[in-house]
Each structure stands twice: as structure tokens, then as C-alpha cells.
Amino acid sequence: MFQVSSTSKLAIKIFVLLGSCSSENQMSLNELSKKLRVSKKYLQRILLKLQKSGLLKSIRGKKGGYVLPKPADQITILDILRVTENDLNLIDCLKTNGLKECPRANQCITRKLWQKVKTEIEEFAKSITIKDLLDAYEKFKVKSYIYHI
């Protein structure tokens, strides 16, 4: 069964953190590492993967860092998962070569079920943007603050 990796969860946190900065401000590797409480080496590997995909922009120099290359409402969770997960398939026969591996794949009733589940998950992940998460976080902060008064 498909399970979201720790890399994907961290990547989503990176985007939320960068999305909370103003568009002119970037965050350095050191800042991200401290705020996310992860090693720079692990974080750098994820940042490089995201940068190579075009989902993240790197600015070089003394005051360099990482920024979102487009507005937070244009980056979906599915965009991130497609970069960070090797495979979004729930079962092996949904993979490209799955039909070749299973001689009954074309007649399999459950294969269609899993394909539908995969499609629903992808549509749901596609419907949620980084801005949606930022908005939800802002509401959470307000409610948490009021609750603790």
C-alpha cells in the first residue's frame, strides 16, 4: 500500500515554511535546517531534488537561499508528491510494466478498484495547494491563541 514517505512530508513542510515568507525573502539552508529540526545533509538532498524539478528556486550568494518560483496557490501537494515519491501506485500492477507482469491484469476486477482509489488520491492531492495549507495554519494559530487565553 502506498505510504507517504518522510521525504514527502518534509518537502511539504519546506513549501509551507517558504510560502509563509514574503516573496522577496528567501531562507538559507541553515535557517530551514534549524526551523525544521533536520540535518543539513538530509535537507540539502531534498532541496536539490525539488530544485532540479523546477518546484523550488535557489538563489546563490551571501544572502542567497531558497524561494518558491511561483505563488503558493499554484503549487499543489500532487506536484510535490510526484517529485518526492518514486511511485504513487497502490499496487504493482498499476505500474507501467504491471500489465506485462500479470497475465490477468486486463480481467482483474480489483485492479480497476485500485486504479480508482489512486485516481481519487491524486485528484485530492491536486486540489490542495500550499496556500490552502497556509490558510489552514493561520486559522489554527488564531483558534489556538484564543483557546489559550
Side-chain angles (χ1 to χ4, degrees), residues 40-57:
K40 286 188 238 180
K41 188 175 182 179
Y42 178 53
L43 187 58
Q44 198 167 26
R45 196 173 63 208
I46 296 169
L47 291 167
L48 184 61
K49 195 174 197 178
L50 295 167
Q51 184 185 343
K52 282 183 178 180
S53 74
L55 277 181
L56 202 59
K57 184 178 175 186

Side-chain angles (χ1 to χ4, degrees), residues 36-137:
L36 295 168
R37 297 183 184 138
V38 294
S39 75
K40 286 188 238 180
K41 188 175 182 179
Y42 178 53
L43 187 58
Q44 198 167 26
R45 196 173 63 208
I46 296 169
L47 291 167
L48 184 61
K49 195 174 197 178
L50 295 167
Q51 184 185 343
K52 282 183 178 180
S53 74
L55 277 181
L56 202 59
K57 184 178 175 186
S58 170
I59 299 171
R60 294 180 160 256
K62 187 178 179 182
K63 294 188 178 188
Y66 296 90
V67 293
L68 300 182
K70 53 188 175 182
D73 64 349
Q74 293 177 19
I75 302 170
T76 70
I77 299 304
L78 183 61
D79 294 333
I80 299 167
L81 292 177
R82 283 191 172 142
V83 172
T84 57
E85 294 295 332
N86 291 330
D87 189 359
L88 294 177
N89 291 308
L90 300 171
I91 57 175
D92 288 339
C93 70
L94 293 179
K95 296 177 183 175
T96 308
N97 62 351
L99 290 174
K100 294 176 190 170
E101 292 176 10
C102 180
R104 295 174 284 168
N106 286 328
Q107 300 118 6
C108 182
I109 296 169
T110 59
R111 184 176 190 277
K112 291 178 183 178
L113 165 77
W114 295 118
Q115 180 62 51
K116 175 81 171 153
V117 171
K118 176 190 176 204
T119 301
E120 293 293 325
I121 290 170
E122 288 178 346
E123 288 300 317
F124 180 70
K126 187 178 179 180
S127 74
I128 300 171
T129 66
I130 296 303
K131 180 161 183 344
D132 294 333
L133 293 179
L134 289 166
D135 292 346
Y137 178 68

